[in-house]
Amino acid sequence: MHKTYNAREAGETRESIPTTGRSLSDLSRGALRAWRRAGLAFAFSLAMAGMSPAHADVDVNSADEAGLTSVKGIGPATAKRILAERDKNGAFKDAVDLADRVPGVGAKSATNLQEAGLTFGTPKAAAPAAARKDAKAPKSTASR
């Protein structure tokens, strides 16, 4: 068996044992400060992660690929499918229309995209039609 070291038997006193200059209580306080800082940093990062970033609404009928991919839940592949469908069959009326026409986007996904900032503004084709109706109205009143 091996013999354990005993400072009293060796004739050493507390004063004769070399130290680093810091007591155990100082190390504990330093460790406690480090844990407090780490805890505060962790709590701050959790708080920031819980906040939703301020986002601007993105109109699905006028946005380009970069604009669509800025919406949480739309990646590059989905953005390309949305643009291809919009170019092929015109503007989207609402979330249900988007879910029906774009493969890979279901009703639940479309609702989540709306909550993330995707909007369905006035279709491009409808805006000029409204302008033409307004333009015709003054002509009909002028002829009376």
Side-chain angles (χ1 to χ4, degrees), residues 37-60:
R37 286 185 197 136
L40 286 173
F42 181 71
F44 180 75
S45 63
L46 282 179
M48 294 305 291
M51 294 178 168
S52 61
H55 64 280
D57 291 340
V58 176
D59 184 12
V60 71

Side-chain angles (χ1 to χ4, degrees), residues 2 15-16 18 22-23 26 29 32 46 57 61 68 71 73 77 82 84 100 107 111 123-124 129 137 139 142:
H2 66 282
E15 290 78 28
S16 65
R22 298 180 78 182
S23 67
D26 287 339
R29 278 188 239 138
L32 182 59
L46 282 179
D57 291 340
N61 293 319
L68 289 173
V71 176
I82 290 171
D100 289 341
T111 303
K124 290 181 181 178
K139 290 180 182 176

Side-chain angles (χ1 to χ4, degrees), residues 2 6 15 27 32 39 41 47 52 60-61 64 67-68 72 77 80 93 99 103 106 115 119 130-131 138 141:
H2 66 282
N6 188 339
E15 290 78 28
L27 293 175
L32 182 59
S52 61
V60 71
N61 293 319
D64 59 354
L68 289 173
K72 182 180 177 185
K80 288 177 185 175
K93 297 173 188 153
E115 291 171 1
T119 61
T141 56

